Amino acid sequence: MPFKNPHPFYSVWMGMKKRCYKPATVQFADYGGRGIKVCQRWLDSFQNFVDDMGPRPPGYSIDRIDCNGDYSPDNCRWASRKTQQRNRRDSRKITVDGVEFIAAE
């Protein structure tokens, strides 16, 4: 019987769960070790994750809008590498006239 490829988002969903809940995972300290969780809706259902995230543009990967927040529909998006590089905990931010910017901008 030929091997059927899983859904293209399946590895994204599994990776997200591993980073948050498997202490043996290399990235656990930066995710689950800091208290980052996956919302119950996504934890319970791969299909909910697919439905909520919608189509993934080529070259994009999952990104948490608030990098200190959980994986959930209101805090996740598909983002380019450039966007993700600017949305890191160690990004320097400055505020000008009440608007926050990444120093690289």
Side-chain angles (χ1 to χ4, degrees):
M1 186 154 141
F3 175 76
K4 184 179 179 202
N5 287 327
H7 192 285
F9 294 2
Y10 189 76
S11 63
V12 175
W13 183 69
M14 288 300 295
M16 171 181 67
K17 295 192 320 174
K18 285 179 185 178
R19 289 188 295 275
C20 293
Y21 298 107
K22 302 276 186 199
T25 302
V26 173
Q27 296 172 313
F28 178 80
D30 293 322
Y31 293 86
R34 292 195 310 117
I36 306 294
K37 298 179 185 88
V38 177
C39 71
Q40 199 62 49
R41 175 176 167 75
W42 288 358
L43 202 55
D44 291 343
S45 168
F46 171 66
Q47 188 60 54
N48 287 343
F49 173 71
V50 171
D51 293 346
D52 291 343
M53 287 301 293
R56 176 173 59 177
Y60 280 45
S61 58
I62 193 165
D63 179 56
R64 286 172 297 119
I65 297 163
D66 172 0
C67 61
N68 295 309
D70 293 338
Y71 285 98
S72 64
D74 61 334
N75 193 42
C76 289
R77 62 187 171 191
W78 297 118
S80 68
R81 185 171 189 79
K82 181 179 179 180
T83 297
Q84 289 192 21
Q85 288 297 316
R86 292 181 174 190
N87 187 30
R88 297 168 41 118
R89 285 183 290 151
D90 62 356
S91 293
R92 292 186 180 216
K93 297 176 181 170
I94 57 172
T95 303
V96 177
D97 294 329
V99 179
E100 188 175 82
F101 296 93
I102 302 299
E105 294 173 344

